[in-house]
Amino acid sequence: MNQDHIRNFCIIAHVDHGKSTLADRLLEVTGSMRRKDAGQDQVLDSMDLERERGITIKAKAVALNYRFEGQDYLLNLIDTPGHVDFAYEVARSLRACEGALLLVDASQGVEAQTIANSQLAQELGLELIPVINKIDLPHARPVEVADEIEHNLMLEKERCRPISAKLGIGVDEVLAAIVREIPAPKGTLDAPLRALLFDAEFDDYRGVIAHLRIVDGSLKKRDMIKMIVAKQEYEVLEIGRFRPHMEPCSELKAGEVGYLIANLKSLEDIKIGDTITNRGATVEALPGYREPQHMVYCGIYPTANKDFESLRKALQKLQLNDASFSFSPETSDALGFGFRCGFLGLLHMEIVQERLERHSGLDIVQTSPTVTYEVVKNDGSVMRLSNPAELPDPTEIFEMREPIVRLRLVVPIDTLGAMLKLAIDRHGKLHGQEHISATRVLLTFEISLAEIIFDFFDKMKSITRGYGTMDYEFIGYHEAPLIKLRILVGGDDVDALSIIVHKEEAESRGRQMLVKLRQEIPRHMFEVALQAAINGKIVARESIKAMSKHVTAKCYGGDVTRKRKLLEKQKEGKKRMKMVGNVEIPQKAFLAVLQVDR
């Protein structure tokens, strides 16, 4: 199709503002799907977890045929995730488009991720079309929301399209705006092939299916291609478009979006964000490629050691459809053999863990999540630390750095004081305060990622009665007074419970953790000592009393030495048991460290 009649766009929005529902209506109005044929809502959210949680986890693409004013147009929609953990996928999708629908809930208004995503789209030069959704709700306030969009996002309120994606109201006007306002692609058809690899998925029978946007040139079946970053060459076995299911075609030209199947066996063979070109061609790589950065790590161990290989196979299968997830073998003195897993964020970790438990059927133990730190040694070398157990000797450390993020909070104005206290208590530095409307305020902080990934979101929702929203972006590593807090159970160092904390709060955190652990670890036949240590110094202790038996109950009289003899015998037995006994630590004890009241 002629490039002038192609429009590439995506939908960006805060979580639960109706993005997937609007995608369904666009499919229906353009004739790509009938509601009775779909059999379900949120067609592009095909994963069971996406449907249960009501969020988009994996980006999807679909080609729509649309006739407008007597002309046929090809509209390529790229559905994007909404949660902050998947911001990298949003960025890749935006680079494959010339425009975006900025969707805002008519009852909730502009949220933290609305601002973050719109700023990212504007930085990439995309044409934004503001759309106000859910106008059918009785408490909708489209006029006030349009004012918020103009004030905070610098988009004229006259351009806002009021719609109800659920009822289909205003969807035709949105399609007309896509054709009129989003510019056509500007690729060169006669130039060597340049295509952006913006996503990929794994099929058990066909291998890796690469999602790509053709920027320059064209692509045909049996073409020989190479990937610039991965430095690999392949033969094209099939190309096609998503409608929304895969539909093969003979050629993809500049400006079009589609899929590519070559002899790709694993997602590790490709790099998402890579540039695809003809074999032998010399072209400049498209901008925007970077390795996904893991921000959260945790250990995953099988409950039974015999399940180690089964767990490895389950993780490998999971990684086939999620290139941003990584794992490597590790050993713990307390838990045995397992894997150190890296994730984009805490939601990403929850999703992977839940998929792992559902699909593998294994009983697993997950350690408390940690963020990555940078350690500068005395010799000037810098090491990236994802596990507190890997921290070198304190005498070798020159300084430690923690990951800092820019945190945006949109909260009701009557909760402003409590939210400022929460963030500042977590070592946050206020960088901006802006009134979005008469009832809501936008707060911007620089804060350590370690301070917000555990319970910050829950506390914010509690303070704001559910009306607060947050978004964050990583900005770098900054020096901080950090120290390793070790937890000893029965005299043994449990590396899975060790954490890295700020020096001034290490002792209080240690005491709080021990109180939680004492409640979670069951009593044994011998006394169990729980200790918190910093640099070899014990700073806190709790004890779990031994289960006892009344051994003198049968002595109704006689000499007192009979009772003493029985008590001494019991004491010796408990001493021997303590020497050979093992303390069983349940899974909930590892998660208890997350519930320490800050």
Side-chain angles (χ1 to χ4, degrees):
M1 180 173 285
N2 190 318
Q3 279 193 88
D4 293 337
H5 293 164
I6 297 175
R7 301 292 185 270
N8 297 318
F9 71 101
C10 60
I11 307 173
I12 54 177
H14 190 79
V15 174
D16 201 33
H17 278 210
K19 179 160 41 64
S20 298
T21 305
L22 176 58
D24 282 359
R25 298 295 85 75
L26 294 176
L27 287 167
E28 287 178 16
V29 172
T30 57
S32 301
M33 176 195 76
R34 290 186 299 174
R35 184 174 293 197
K36 66 177 183 179
D37 295 337
Q40 59 185 17
D41 292 330
Q42 285 86 41
V43 173
L44 298 185
D45 291 344
S46 55
M47 198 185 301
D48 52 355
L49 278 176
E50 291 180 314
R51 312 184 65 75
E52 290 173 16
R53 288 174 174 253
I55 58 175
T56 301
I57 297 169
K58 187 76 174 166
K60 299 289 183 182
V62 60
L64 311 173
N65 289 327
Y66 179 59
R67 189 165 184 83
F68 179 70
E69 295 181 349
Q71 293 287 342
D72 290 324
Y73 289 87
L74 178 63
L75 311 181
N76 291 309
L77 162 64
I78 298 173
D79 192 28
T80 61
H83 195 273
V84 62
D85 280 7
F86 307 103
Y88 181 42
E89 284 207 20
V90 175
R92 289 200 313 265
S93 300
L94 292 177
R95 289 187 182 276
C97 304
E98 281 77 34
L101 301 180
L102 182 66
L103 198 63
V104 182
D105 191 311
S107 59
Q108 299 180 36
V110 172
E111 306 279 20
Q113 285 168 243
T114 312
I115 297 171
N117 288 338
S118 64
Q119 287 178 349
L120 179 59
Q122 288 170 334
E123 287 171 7
L124 296 174
L126 270 65
E127 181 67 34
L128 285 179
I129 300 175
V131 178
I132 300 175
N133 190 23
K134 303 185 183 181
I135 60 170
D136 56 304
L137 294 178
H139 50 284
R141 45 187 188 89
V143 176
E144 293 90 335
V145 171
D147 290 334
E148 288 182 19
I149 290 173
E150 183 174 65
H151 174 68
N152 298 287
L153 307 179
M154 304 304 172
L155 299 171
E156 298 87 351
K157 60 183 178 182
E158 292 78 13
R159 295 182 55 210
C160 295
R161 268 75 177 181
I163 70 164
S164 169
K166 182 179 179 180
L167 302 180
I169 300 170
V171 176
D172 287 311
E173 288 77 6
V174 171
L175 284 166
I178 291 170
V179 174
R180 288 197 184 104
E181 298 181 27
I182 294 179
K186 297 179 180 178
T188 305
L189 186 59
D190 299 330
L193 172 67
R194 281 205 309 167
L196 174 66
L197 176 59
F198 66 86
D199 200 7
E201 59 183 300
F202 183 82
D203 184 271
D204 290 335
Y205 303 102
R206 313 184 77 179
V208 175
I209 301 170
H211 302 202
L212 68 163
R213 151 75 194 273
I214 310 294
V215 177
D216 294 317
S218 62
L219 182 65
K220 297 179 181 178
K221 187 176 179 180
R222 298 301 175 188
D223 281 355
M224 296 301 297
I225 58 170
K226 72 173 181 180
M227 299 186 181
I228 294 179
V229 176
K231 297 182 171 62
Q232 299 291 331
E233 296 185 356
Y234 300 96
E235 181 184 6
V236 178
L237 303 180
E238 180 180 312
I239 56 172
R241 302 183 181 92
F242 297 99
R243 294 189 178 276
H245 303 293
M246 293 192 299
E247 181 182 284
C249 66
S250 58
E251 185 179 19
L252 289 174
K253 297 181 180 179
E256 295 187 346
V257 175
Y259 68 88
L260 158 71
I261 298 177
N263 197 22
L264 295 159
K265 301 297 184 185
S266 168
L267 282 180
E268 295 177 352
D269 296 339
I270 63 173
K271 304 289 185 183
I272 305 298
D274 202 348
T275 302
I276 300 174
T277 187
N278 301 114
R279 185 174 69 177
T282 303
V283 298
E284 183 180 351
L286 294 166
Y289 171 75
R290 62 179 174 87
E291 291 283 350
Q293 190 165 22
H294 298 124
M295 302 305 298
V296 178
Y297 285 82
C298 81
I300 294 180
Y301 297 82
T303 304
N305 288 333
K306 62 181 177 64
D307 292 333
F308 177 75
E309 284 302 322
S310 299
L311 178 59
R312 183 199 295 272
K313 290 177 182 176
L315 290 171
Q316 288 173 339
K317 186 174 182 180
L318 198 59
Q319 195 181 39
L320 289 174
N321 271 310
D322 190 352
S324 56
F325 159 66
S326 71
F327 68 94
S328 58
E330 74 168 0
T331 307
S332 166
D333 294 335
L335 301 174
F337 295 100
F339 297 91
R340 193 74 183 167
C341 303
F343 310 92
L344 299 175
L346 206 61
L347 175 71
H348 188 209
M349 184 188 76
E350 290 177 14
I351 295 296
V352 168
Q353 181 196 1
E354 198 163 338
R355 290 177 67 188
L356 186 64
E357 290 177 341
R358 285 189 183 194
H359 299 153
S360 68
L362 297 172
D363 289 328
I364 61 173
V365 175
Q366 177 187 325
T367 65
S368 58
T370 61
V371 301
T372 55
Y373 295 93
E374 280 190 351
V375 178
V376 182
K377 294 186 177 181
N378 292 329
D379 59 5
S381 61
V382 180
M383 67 175 290
R384 188 68 62 83
L385 187 73
S386 61
N387 187 349
E390 299 170 357
L391 188 69
D393 190 271
T395 58
E396 301 177 20
I397 299 175
F398 176 72
E399 71 176 25
M400 291 184 64
R401 301 169 182 163
E402 62 182 353
I404 301 296
V405 297
R406 182 176 291 110
L407 175 68
R408 297 183 184 90
L409 300 172
V410 175
V411 299
I413 198 164
D414 60 335
T415 64
L416 177 60
M419 283 307 306
L420 285 171
K421 183 178 186 305
L422 174 65
I424 292 172
D425 285 348
R426 300 292 181 91
H427 309 286
K429 297 178 182 177
L430 182 64
H431 273 243
Q433 177 177 327
E434 182 181 351
H435 290 264
I436 290 180
S437 66
T439 57
R440 296 191 304 155
V441 61
L442 168 67
L443 302 174
T444 306
F445 292 90
E446 280 191 8
I447 192 169
S448 168
L449 178 63
E451 298 289 347
I452 66 170
I453 65 167
F454 300 125
D455 61 345
F456 188 91
F457 183 77
D458 293 336
K459 287 185 178 296
M460 179 205 66
K461 284 293 185 183
S462 176
I463 290 172
T464 62
R465 303 178 300 280
Y467 290 105
T469 60
M470 65 177 272
D471 176 85
Y472 64 86
E473 59 178 312
F474 175 70
I475 58 177
Y477 288 89
H478 293 182
E479 182 186 358
L482 301 170
I483 199 166
K484 179 181 176 182
L485 176 66
R486 295 162 44 233
I487 301 296
L488 290 82
V489 178
D492 294 328
D493 199 338
V494 183
D495 51 1
L497 292 174
S498 299
I499 59 172
I500 294 175
V501 292
H502 279 249
K503 282 183 180 179
E504 65 267 21
E505 60 183 42
E507 188 172 333
S508 61
R509 282 290 297 278
R511 293 183 187 279
Q512 292 167 338
M513 287 174 64
L514 294 188
V515 171
K516 278 286 183 183
L517 290 174
R518 188 185 65 184
Q519 297 169 357
E520 301 295 344
I521 297 177
R523 292 172 69 183
H524 290 62
M525 293 301 294
F526 52 91
E527 183 178 304
V528 178
L530 305 176
Q531 297 168 305
I534 301 172
N535 289 340
K537 178 185 175 184
I538 303 298
V539 296
R541 175 186 169 117
E542 293 283 342
S543 295
I544 301 174
K545 290 183 180 286
M547 290 190 289
S548 59
K549 180 181 179 182
H550 192 4
V551 293
T552 61
K554 59 186 177 182
C555 300
Y556 290 99
D559 192 70
V560 72
T561 55
R562 291 181 61 200
K563 293 185 178 181
R564 286 180 182 166
K565 185 177 178 181
L566 287 170
L567 291 170
E568 289 296 325
K569 189 176 180 181
Q570 183 188 45
K571 187 177 178 181
E572 288 296 320
K574 286 189 177 293
K575 186 188 261 187
R576 285 197 305 273
M577 195 179 296
K578 189 173 184 179
M579 293 171 63
V580 299
N582 291 321
V583 182
E584 293 183 4
I585 306 176
Q587 158 74 355
K588 59 182 180 180
F590 291 98
L591 300 179
V593 296
L594 301 183
Q595 300 165 355
V596 172
D597 188 8
R598 300 286 299 280

